[in-house]
Amino acid sequence: MMVEKPVSVGIDIGGGSTKIGLVEPDGNIIVNEILKLTEIDAPEDLLDAYINKIKSWKEQYRDFQIQAIGVGVPGHVINDHRATDICNLPFLNRFPLADYLEENLQLPVWIENDATYAGVGEYRYGSGQQSERFLLATLGTGIGLTFIEHGRIHATGNGTLGDIGHMIIDRNLTFQCRKGCWGCIESVASGVAISRDAKQLAQKYPESYLGKVFERENRDPTVRHIIEGSFEGDPVCIGKLNETADWLGLWACNVVQIFAPHRFAFGGGWSAAGQGFIDKLYQRAKSVGIEEYYNQVTFVQATKGNLAGILGAASFAFDHAGNTRA
Ligand SMILES: [Zn+2]
């Protein structure tokens, strides 16, 4: 008789799409897909898409036995890891997400914030392995932070490290962020802020790399274009990249002096700028901070990319359901 191998499902809910994967306890991803789920505004429609996918995998991968489901949500975690609130998908707010999945699939569900699960994924399988004090910053549309201390998730409230992407850093309070605060790190360095500034730069310097992107593609330039332009030596892009490194370095200094990490990894859109960019953050943080912290910490690139979330979700839910990893 065939012995079925234990696996778990990781779900990483994003704004316009969801990543979902079937993962073995050693971090091997058997299959993963991106479900494009635009124009959905009812929680049942979204969750039914996940349920159908998991049911189809049960049929397709008969050598494996699913043990648990981990769900990463882009919002706060409430009701003892059973639901979300203040979510980037507002229709999910306070919906009994775990109950709904458990009733339909008869599998235990565990919910964490999406950045938290990305941190777990990097800690267990990527840039954070063997680090006793590991920080992961996700530099994407927003700015998230996760702290894994001796293998345990460290949360201060709402299943997150508060809203540490909204640490106020610009005393001139130049910009307001999407959540409403003024002068926070997201207001100057998030993907949203960079797009805002890149559009202005494109219009001000039509001959620059950004100006040509704006004209050629007829859309607003993004973080990716700033990085590409910098690699091509465009002075406007290099200037913006350095300015962003400056802001992020100041933020990183605050963060380092709160959490005293041994390793600090950076993922998300800006990590594509490479180790050279991350070294700029380190130098900036060190230049203004307390030296001792910088003797014990290394700044590195995250290595699991956009798979960190499903890896963390699947493995954490697997453990939480009482399974033992070989
Ligand atoms: Zn803010």
Side-chain angles (χ1 to χ4, degrees):
M1 190 189 133
M2 177 86 201
V3 178
E4 294 166 333
K5 286 192 252 176
V7 291
S8 52
V9 172
I11 297 177
D12 185 6
I13 303 179
S17 65
T18 292
K19 296 177 210 68
I20 181 167
L22 200 56
V23 183
E24 290 190 87
D26 65 359
N28 178 49
I29 297 174
I30 296 159
V31 58
N32 76 93
E33 292 185 26
I34 294 175
L35 305 179
K36 295 274 182 203
L37 300 164
T38 49
E39 292 169 31
I40 282 181
D41 52 14
E44 292 88 349
D45 293 345
L46 187 73
L47 300 178
D48 286 348
Y50 307 158
I51 290 163
N52 291 335
K53 177 54 63 184
I54 292 166
K55 283 182 173 170
S56 79
W57 282 346
K58 277 184 167 178
E59 289 298 312
Q60 199 177 345
Y61 298 96
R62 289 175 172 272
D63 296 350
F64 298 97
Q65 176 83 47
I66 299 173
Q67 306 289 326
I69 301 169
V71 182
V73 293
H76 289 174
V77 177
I78 60 167
N79 298 354
D80 195 22
H81 299 269
R82 308 289 298 166
T84 182
D85 203 357
I86 326 276
C87 183
N88 286 353
L89 297 170
F91 60 81
L92 286 179
N93 288 345
R94 297 177 296 284
F95 183 83
L97 211 160
D99 288 349
Y100 190 86
L101 291 174
E102 287 182 352
E103 280 163 18
N104 282 281
L105 290 162
Q106 308 301 317
L107 288 165
V109 171
W110 189 257
I111 297 172
E112 293 283 355
N113 173 262
D114 54 0
T116 302
Y117 270 151
V120 172
E122 285 289 337
Y123 171 75
R124 289 189 171 170
Y125 307 112
S127 58
Q129 288 179 75
Q130 269 93 49
S131 176
E132 289 178 2
R133 304 179 67 83
F134 175 63
L135 269 181
L136 173 71
T138 308
L139 310 175
T141 308
I143 293 176
L145 190 76
T146 304
F147 183 43
I148 309 285
E149 186 182 18
H150 295 283
R152 300 173 72 93
I153 296 166
H154 188 92
T156 55
N158 310 313
T160 67
L161 285 177
D163 276 299
I164 204 161
H166 299 272
M167 183 178 272
I168 309 302
I169 205 151
D170 170 18
R171 75 174 291 277
N172 294 321
L173 310 179
T174 313
F175 297 108
Q176 188 176 29
C177 81
R178 60 189 175 140
K179 282 196 176 173
C181 52
W182 289 90
C184 67
I185 184 64
E186 279 206 10
S187 79
V188 290
S190 69
V192 174
I194 297 301
S195 291
R196 173 199 66 212
D197 295 350
K199 184 181 179 181
Q200 279 189 351
L201 289 168
Q203 288 166 339
K204 190 173 175 188
Y205 303 103
E207 291 305 308
S208 69
Y209 186 87
L210 296 178
K212 286 172 185 160
V213 166
F214 192 57
E215 191 185 296
R216 184 181 66 227
E217 300 184 16
N218 194 27
R219 67 187 189 101
D220 295 348
T222 63
V223 168
R224 180 171 66 83
H225 296 113
I226 303 236
I227 294 169
E228 286 171 4
S230 300
F231 286 150
E232 292 197 7
D234 178 84
V236 173
C237 288
I238 291 171
K240 189 64 194 169
L241 182 138
N242 285 336
E243 183 188 280
T244 307
D246 198 57
W247 283 121
L248 288 171
L250 294 179
W251 176 73
C253 181
N254 289 318
V255 163
V256 162
Q257 292 176 191
I258 293 170
F259 296 101
H262 295 169
R263 202 174 304 154
F264 193 174
F266 295 84
W270 274 111
S271 67
Q275 186 63 39
F277 179 74
I278 292 165
D279 289 343
K280 286 178 197 283
L281 307 194
Y282 176 84
Q283 292 303 336
R284 184 58 173 144
K286 186 179 179 183
S287 74
V288 293
I290 297 168
E291 187 165 358
E292 281 71 16
Y293 286 100
Y294 298 91
N295 297 332
Q296 67 168 17
V297 64
T298 49
F299 282 28
V300 299
Q301 268 180 291
T303 56
K304 287 297 171 186
N306 60 16
L307 294 176
I310 58 171
L311 283 169
S315 75
F316 195 83
F318 185 83
D319 290 4
H320 204 270
N323 299 289
T324 310
R325 285 184 285 155

